[in-house]
Amino acid sequence: MPVRPATARDADFLRSILWEAYNWNGEHRFTAEELAADPRAASYVDGWPRGGDFGVVAETDAGEPIGAAWARYLPEDRPGYGFVAADVPELTLGVLSAHRRLGHGRTLMEALIRAAAEQPRPVARLSLSVEDGNPAAYLYTSLGFVRAGREGGSDTMVLRVPCRG
């Protein structure tokens, strides 16, 4: 499965993947309009890309995007749900429902972690938020993420990004 860097042309696709990530359990708990109106949710995609943002998009062999993982620095006064510190980018991962449970999430996460280490100013840590019951928690743990906090029914997890080399 080809994986490429996310670009400004991917902004709408990232919005759709954000919706997929928020509705990970197959229920339509949130609409796209609700996510756009929620400052914390919208912070993951509004103005994509800004300086320091990085991400990857997975595509089919025919070039159709099927998933994405991206990270961005969020300020302390406008945090996302997995906020740890202003110098720790929060990541978002999502795969279209028809392509889940095929290893694409792991491929995307591994590519994003490599991209973090290869940034002009290498990223030391990544953070995320994962709801109770979300099977992606197993993926995150297997990649080395550890629980760093809790908010409501979600864990905040952090990964120390391996040094490039």
Side-chain angles (χ1 to χ4, degrees):
M1 170 192 62
V3 175
R4 62 167 175 78
T7 68
R9 290 187 309 251
D10 294 309
D12 288 339
F13 181 67
L14 297 185
R15 267 185 200 35
S16 68
I17 288 298
L18 181 69
W19 181 84
E20 292 279 352
Y22 270 73
N23 292 296
W24 59 268
N25 62 357
E27 297 175 15
H28 292 185
R29 302 177 301 155
F30 304 94
T31 66
E33 293 78 20
E34 288 171 326
L35 294 180
D38 174 359
R40 290 178 86 181
S43 68
Y44 295 115
V45 291
D46 282 352
W48 174 269
R50 295 187 313 232
D53 291 351
F54 59 97
V56 293
V57 174
E59 298 178 328
T60 65
D61 289 334
E64 292 297 318
I66 61 168
W70 68 97
R72 68 180 350 182
Y73 294 93
L74 298 173
E76 191 168 347
D77 64 341
R78 289 191 326 260
Y81 289 99
F83 185 82
V84 173
D87 65 343
V88 179
E90 290 188 55
L91 73 84
T92 304
L93 167 69
V95 176
L96 297 176
S97 60
H99 299 275
R100 291 183 187 155
R101 304 228 191 274
L102 300 171
H104 302 316
R106 177 173 295 279
T107 299
L108 284 161
M109 287 296 294
E110 289 172 348
L112 186 73
I113 293 165
R114 280 192 305 276
E118 295 169 356
Q119 291 303 297
R121 191 182 98 214
V123 174
R125 297 182 296 163
L126 290 167
S127 70
L128 57 83
S129 176
V130 61
E131 284 184 290
D132 293 345
N134 187 333
Y138 298 107
L139 168 63
Y140 303 141
T141 301
S142 75
L143 291 168
F145 282 83
V146 295
R147 185 175 168 196
R150 183 137 180 99
E151 182 177 333
S154 299
D155 286 331
T156 299
M157 301 184 81
V158 175
L159 172 76
R160 288 204 179 282
V161 176
C163 294
R164 185 167 85 183

